[in-house]
Amino acid sequence: MKLIRFGNPEEEKTGVILPNGNRLDVSAFGEDFDEQFFGSKGPKRLSEWLLKNESNCPEISNEIRLGSPIARPSKIVCVGLNYAKHAKESGMEVPSEPVLFFKASSAIVGPYDDVILPRNSKKSDWEVELAVIIGAKASYVSEGDAMKHVAGYVLHNDISEREYQLERLGQWVKGKSCDTFAPLGPYMATTDEIENPHNLRLWLKLNGETMQDSNTSDLIFGIPKLVSYISEYMTLLPGDVISTGTPFGVGLGLDPQKYLKAGDIMELGIDGLGVSKQAVKA
Ligand code: ZN
């Protein structure tokens, strides 16, 4: 199933994309796509509900804005340097265990919303990433059991202010958490939609020029390892997001370095997870 949320910011209603591409309003189901929903087998209950109620669900016009396909999660856990060539372009060693950092969940926006450069930002950068949505509470989960705790996948642009991230004292979180720095979507695909999450092409174009073009088969630490590893340090709640890291081709790694400016257009996609597009504004 492909889950979407649509409407004005903070007022999004729930919907699904049918196999024929039609978008249906399923707000009559009465639940948002949040911790409660994912933690109570929501996708399964919704698909059963749809069998009986699909004909009564209104279609969603193509003009209507899409928001993040999931409600604001308790946390976004990001994985750094999880592709070898990206670690190299960042001037860092390939890590011996996953590098973790947080991104504020207040940074989440919809897949076609504008990305607003923070005041005085000179080094905002793009990062196409496969993000995992947790489907069941995970604490000290083994790698063998990890995939049972995954509800699905979503396309994420982990926008990053490199000066805030790398040149200011302290942790990476400052460069990752600005408002609008986490476009999610267009939709969340449940796990049954994606045959192998470790073999998905992911790409990003800046103003039509391909900057990133890689495959999740190059991930250093795969999804079972990440879920298991993170769950040793914190409890992952249903609806939480793990962003698995970005491949080679960010602005930081270019010579000369290249960063986002007002008027730029980012377009990105992952096999099976759709395409998103953001305009950059000052
Ligand atoms: Zn990232």
Side-chain angles (χ1 to χ4, degrees), residues 79 101 127 129 158 160 176 245-246:
V79 184
F101 59 91
E127 292 193 350
E129 301 197 9
D158 175 24
S160 306
K176 299 284 189 171
T246 202

Side-chain angles (χ1 to χ4, degrees), residues 78-81 86 101 103 126-129 156-160 162 165 172 176 243-247 250:
C78 294
V79 184
L81 311 173
H86 172 63
F101 59 91
K103 189 174 185 92
W126 53 87
E127 292 193 350
V128 61
E129 301 197 9
H156 176 215
N157 192 355
D158 175 24
I159 299 169
S160 306
R162 301 302 184 192
Q165 177 191 351
W172 290 4
K176 299 284 189 171
S243 202
T244 59
T246 202
V250 299

